Amino acid sequence: MTDYGGAMSSTGPASFGYAFRDALASDGLSVIAEIKRRSPSRGQLNPDADAATLAIQYRDGGAACLSVLTDSERFGGSPQDLSAARKAAGIPVLRKDFLTTMADVRASADMGADAILVILRDVGGQRMAEMQDVAFDLGMDVLTEVRDESELELAVECGAYMIGVNQRDNPRCAQFTVDYDKAARIAKLFDRLDDGIVKVAASGMGVPGGTPLGAIADAGYDAALIGEALVTADDPAERLREMLASAGASALATARS
């Protein structure tokens, strides 16, 4: 990987009045709680889940934002899920699908999304920047997903200002392969980036043998995107409260040492 040789900067919207980014940039670790009924790797998770009900439970448990899968075939979702979740909970919503075209960006705005996920490996740097420009024009934030150090560098060079480190090797693959230490490793590289970049860790948190949420907080991330551990919980609100409490205790212990 190329040596940064100093702090790299990144540009976002002309005015950071965008709800999703602002919700994650507050003090402490924020959680983006995900709504999905199934996944290609895990199969059925919560097939009868009601998006509005889950959204309210997540909000009451302390979620700063929501993530909604609208793809029916892979995740059992729909555009109506996103609209219903946003209306019910009143907190910012990310459309987290495999978005690759400008039409996808515009459709996300039509659904009422506050932000979209753009996977760098799927679209490349130039397309990511173009999609981000269109999203800005439509009043949406953009979370750029990377999976390794070289992609992090490219994302910054192309103007990403919210970056998600996905610990899964390939979210499209039916095989569930997660590197539970990846987020912590890559976190060290963020030290040379613009302080304004919002850092998000995704995948593998809260599941048996997974990454403790406290480790994500200790590594300096602004937010964690959590799906399976919450959507399968008997009481999603209480489960989220427990996870946030554990992360806060870990971060406090580190600060005092």
Side-chain angles (χ1 to χ4, degrees):
M1 180 176 180
T2 304
D3 183 9
Y4 291 129
M8 296 181 68
S9 63
S10 178
T11 58
S15 173
F16 278 129
Y18 286 53
F20 191 88
R21 185 266 180 193
D22 288 350
L24 301 184
S26 58
D27 292 340
L29 184 73
S30 300
V31 165
I32 308 166
E34 189 158 273
I35 296 171
K36 59 183 176 182
R37 296 182 180 88
R38 62 174 179 263
S39 77
S41 59
R42 295 300 202 192
Q44 299 290 355
L45 298 172
N46 189 345
D48 298 322
D50 178 75
T53 300
L54 263 182
I56 292 169
Q57 291 174 319
Y58 288 163
R59 180 202 63 196
D60 292 349
C65 298
L66 304 173
S67 168
V68 179
L69 281 300
T70 67
D71 181 278
S72 175
E73 181 179 353
R74 293 186 179 93
F75 301 104
S78 71
Q80 290 72 32
D81 285 339
L82 190 150
S83 300
R86 190 178 190 278
K87 181 178 179 179
I91 58 177
V93 178
L94 169 77
R95 183 186 180 198
K96 184 176 171 280
D97 286 300
F98 299 116
L99 310 180
T100 59
T101 69
M102 301 308 163
D104 290 334
V105 180
R106 288 187 283 270
S108 302
D110 290 341
M111 293 175 197
D114 298 279
I116 59 172
L117 179 77
V118 177
I119 301 173
L120 188 63
R121 191 171 297 184
D122 286 353
V123 300
Q126 181 176 345
R127 174 63 64 86
M128 183 278 291
E130 292 169 351
M131 292 175 72
Q132 183 163 272
D133 286 343
V134 173
F136 290 167
D137 288 342
L138 295 171
M140 294 185 296
D141 275 308
V142 176
L143 176 61
T144 301
E145 178 183 296
V146 301
R147 289 179 221 158
D148 59 35
E149 292 85 346
S150 63
E151 288 186 4
L152 173 61
E153 180 179 10
L154 177 59
V156 175
E157 290 174 352
C158 294
Y161 67 104
M162 285 200 302
I163 298 177
V165 176
N166 194 332
Q167 298 195 122
R168 282 202 63 182
D169 179 56
N170 183 359
R172 291 179 181 270
C173 183
Q175 182 178 359
F176 192 76
T177 303
V178 181
D179 179 350
Y180 294 115
D181 298 318
K182 183 195 291 187
R185 289 198 311 272
I186 292 183
K188 300 172 184 177
L189 301 179
F190 279 106
D191 291 342
R192 295 186 179 182
L193 304 182
D194 190 312
D195 289 342
I197 292 178
V198 174
K199 305 175 288 294
V200 180
S203 296
M205 285 157 284
V207 296
T211 308
L213 201 59
I216 298 301
D218 293 345
Y221 283 88
D222 299 290
L225 195 156
I226 305 173
E228 180 182 341
L230 295 178
V231 79
T232 60
D234 292 335
D235 186 338
E238 182 58 28
R239 178 70 177 119
L240 180 52
R241 292 187 195 103
E242 292 171 354
M243 294 180 71
L244 284 169
S246 70
S250 177
L252 181 61
T254 299
R256 289 176 174 172
S257 62

